[in-house]
């Protein structure tokens, strides 16, 4: 999400600045921040301290803070972090040229106004750190779900969908430039809905339209909320081979008591029914999740319920976190953060160990299978190997030969680790 936002910012500032790889050469440094978990904010504070020395060397250097953290603790930040010259919240990027100008005149400036309409739909993002193959397209902003632990609805504002016309144009233009994969992004991407006078366009409709651009353009999306994973969407995924069979479907907890306290608006049984449906309509679909360990009042049994649900689903991958209180959320106000830190860590470790096992088992099941892989670049471990992803979003590594970034190749899997599939190309397309 933040990568996509940074690309929008780069576009807004392109008439005034060009991008440099070297911090020492920079006249302007922007830190795009996330407030979802406490450690992300701590990292930014550390980074700001590191940047202070650059300011001593270059008196005209300006440093600005963007994103969620800007929204959450603006005044406090400007007071505490003297390195900062200006602050812009996630809906204020169009005002950056003015904020920067004020800051350059020595005035402390910030804009954290949250809009109900801003989608930056007319801005063509600058893909400055791209492999030229995969790109993100932001299709909606904000979130209306108010999960009790989560700060996003407060820092990124209300949910709003972007005009499908501009999304399709952006995807088409990326394809024309040689990109072969787009990931449609939103906090709750499958609740996308563009209200039109005749027919509304929902997320399944939008996915279908993007899939029709070309069979050579892969379509992915993130993140889905379980409440919105419709059969209609699953049928679109089944109909178009270029819509990747991979769904990130955060469950957060396997316990109904926790799900209720989290305000996730579904039960364990509902979630498992959706998983069953996904596997019925898309038998080869990979599923990943987010899990929170040690939420308020979580008992040993609640934790066991999470582990058993993870086993039952057999996730391919998971992002796993221990609960951290976020100021301003319902949980911070109404629920007690009563699971001791050591227990949170212990539970998180158990969750991670289980997922490691599930990922390895899933990868082992792929040995002998052949997948279509979109080549993304040279493998980090060996320059004689390339890597890319299969539709299930698994990283596949194979000998380089004459293949290059952006090619589609058929890879037969011979070996695996918990994180990677290794194989040989059997044919190119
Ligand atoms: N919109 C997405 C993701 C939002 S944030 C969704 O609904 O799934 C990404 C993940 O961070 C969440 O899914 C959740 O697992 C985790 N998270 C959010 N707030 C948290 C908190 N206070 N403590 C720990 N993890 C949190
Ligand atoms: Fe946060 Fe829930 Fe919205 Fe995701 S759906 S961003 S977890 S409030």
């Amino acid at each position: 999400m933040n990568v996509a936002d940074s690309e929008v910012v780069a576009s807004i500032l392109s008439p005034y600045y060009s991008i440099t790889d070297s911090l020492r050469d920079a006249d302007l440094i922007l830190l795009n921040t996330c407030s979802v978990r406490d450690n992300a904010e701590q990292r930014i504070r550390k980074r700001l301290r590191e940047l202070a020395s650059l300011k001593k060397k270059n008196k005209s250097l300006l440093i600005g803070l963007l994103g969620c953290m800007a929204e959450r603790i603006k005044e406090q930040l400007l007071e505490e972090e003297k390195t900062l010259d200006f602050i812009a919240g996630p809906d204020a990027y169009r005002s950056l040229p003015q904020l920067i100008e004020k800051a350059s005149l020595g005035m402390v400036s910030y804009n954290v106004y949250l809009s109900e309409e801003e989608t930056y739909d007319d801005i063509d993002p600058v893909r400055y750190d791209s492999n030229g193959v995969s790109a993100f397209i932001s299709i909606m902003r904000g979130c209306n779900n108010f999960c009790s632990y989560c700060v996003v609805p407060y820092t990124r504002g209300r949910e709003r969908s972007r005009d499908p016309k501009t999304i399709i144009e952006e995807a088409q233009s990326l394809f024309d430039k040689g990109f072969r994969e787009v990931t449609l992004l939103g906090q709750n991407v499958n609740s996308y809905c563009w209200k039109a006078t005749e027919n509304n366009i929902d997320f399944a409709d939008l996915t279908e339209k993007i899939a029709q651009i070309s069979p050579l353009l892969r379509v992915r999306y993130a993140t889905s909320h379980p409440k919105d994973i419709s059969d209609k969407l699953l049928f679109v995924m089944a109909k178009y081979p270029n819509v990747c069979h991979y769904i990130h479907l955060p469950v957060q907890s396997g316990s109904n008591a926790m799900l209720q306290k989290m305000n996730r608006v579904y039960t364990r049984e509902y979630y498992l029914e959706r998983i069953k449906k996904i596997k019925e309509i898309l038998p080869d679909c990979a599923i990943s999740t987010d899990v929170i360990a040690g939420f308020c009042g979580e008992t040993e049994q609640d934790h066991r319920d999470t582990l058993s649900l993870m086993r039952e689903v057999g996730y391919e991958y998971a992002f796993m976190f221990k609960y951290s209180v976020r100021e301003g959320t319902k949980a911070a106000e109404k629920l007690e953060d009563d699971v001791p830190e050591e227990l949170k860590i212990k539970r998180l470790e158990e969750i991670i160990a289980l997922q490691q096992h599930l990922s390895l088992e899933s990868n082992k099941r792929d040995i002998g299978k052949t997948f279509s892989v979109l080549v993304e670049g040279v493998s980090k471990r060996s320059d004689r190997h390339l890597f890319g992803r299969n539709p299930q979003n698994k990283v596949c590594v194979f000998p380089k030969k004459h293949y290059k970034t952006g090619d589609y190749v058929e890879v037969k899997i011979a070996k695996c680790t918990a994180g990677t599939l290794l194989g040989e190309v059997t044919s190119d397309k």
Side-chain angles (χ1 to χ4, degrees), residues 96-282:
L96 273 170
Q98 292 78 32
L99 289 174
I100 293 170
E101 193 181 344
K102 267 173 109 182
S104 69
L105 298 172
M107 290 183 260
V108 172
S109 58
Y110 65 84
N111 181 354
V112 289
Y113 171 72
L114 279 179
S115 152
E116 300 209 340
E117 285 102 37
E118 181 62 274
T119 58
Y120 301 109
D121 57 357
D122 55 325
I123 290 176
D124 188 16
V126 175
R127 321 272 168 186
Y128 60 87
D129 192 21
S130 157
N131 58 6
V133 175
S134 329
F136 296 117
I137 303 183
S138 211
I139 66 157
M140 51 134 41
R141 297 181 74 83
C143 180
N144 286 351
N145 290 330
F146 291 93
C147 301
S148 63
Y149 51 81
C150 183
V151 82
V152 169
Y154 307 95
T155 58
R156 300 187 75 96
R158 291 293 66 73
E159 189 175 293
R160 61 224 107 113
S161 295
R162 178 178 163 189
D163 185 340
K165 192 169 156 279
T166 67
I167 300 172
I168 296 161
E169 280 166 8
E170 190 173 329
Q172 178 72 57
S173 137
L174 285 164
F175 181 72
D176 296 341
K177 286 181 191 141
F179 284 83
R180 290 294 170 260
E181 181 175 81
V182 291
T183 302
L184 308 178
L185 282 184
Q187 291 295 343
N188 187 179
V189 83
N190 49 352
S191 80
Y192 175 91
C193 188
W194 179 255
K195 305 251 185 299
T197 31
E198 288 182 2
N199 292 324
N200 287 349
I201 296 193
D202 66 12
F203 184 63
D205 302 327
L206 179 72
T207 305
E208 176 153 37
K209 284 178 196 294
I210 308 277
Q212 285 167 345
I213 289 176
S214 165
L216 289 177
L217 182 68
R218 279 188 168 178
V219 186
R220 298 186 184 276
Y221 60 88
T223 293
S224 318
H225 193 292
K227 75 177 165 56
D228 296 313
I229 194 90
S230 67
D231 290 359
K232 181 177 168 188
L233 175 61
L234 300 178
F235 285 120
V236 167
M237 292 175 76
K239 183 171 167 192
Y240 294 90
N242 56 325
V243 182
C244 291
H245 289 182
Y246 164 60
I247 303 179
H248 182 56
L249 200 63
V251 69
Q252 314 297 0
S253 169
S255 146
N256 280 335
M258 287 299 106
L259 289 172
Q260 197 175 7
K261 278 192 180 174
M262 289 174 167
N263 192 30
R264 286 294 287 181
V265 304
Y266 54 81
T267 59
R268 174 188 176 100
E269 293 71 28
Y270 166 87
Y271 183 91
L272 287 172
E273 182 280 324
R274 286 289 81 198
I275 296 288
K276 206 167 140 218
K277 202 70 184 179
I278 293 170
K279 294 192 171 169
E280 197 179 295
I281 299 174
L282 308 164

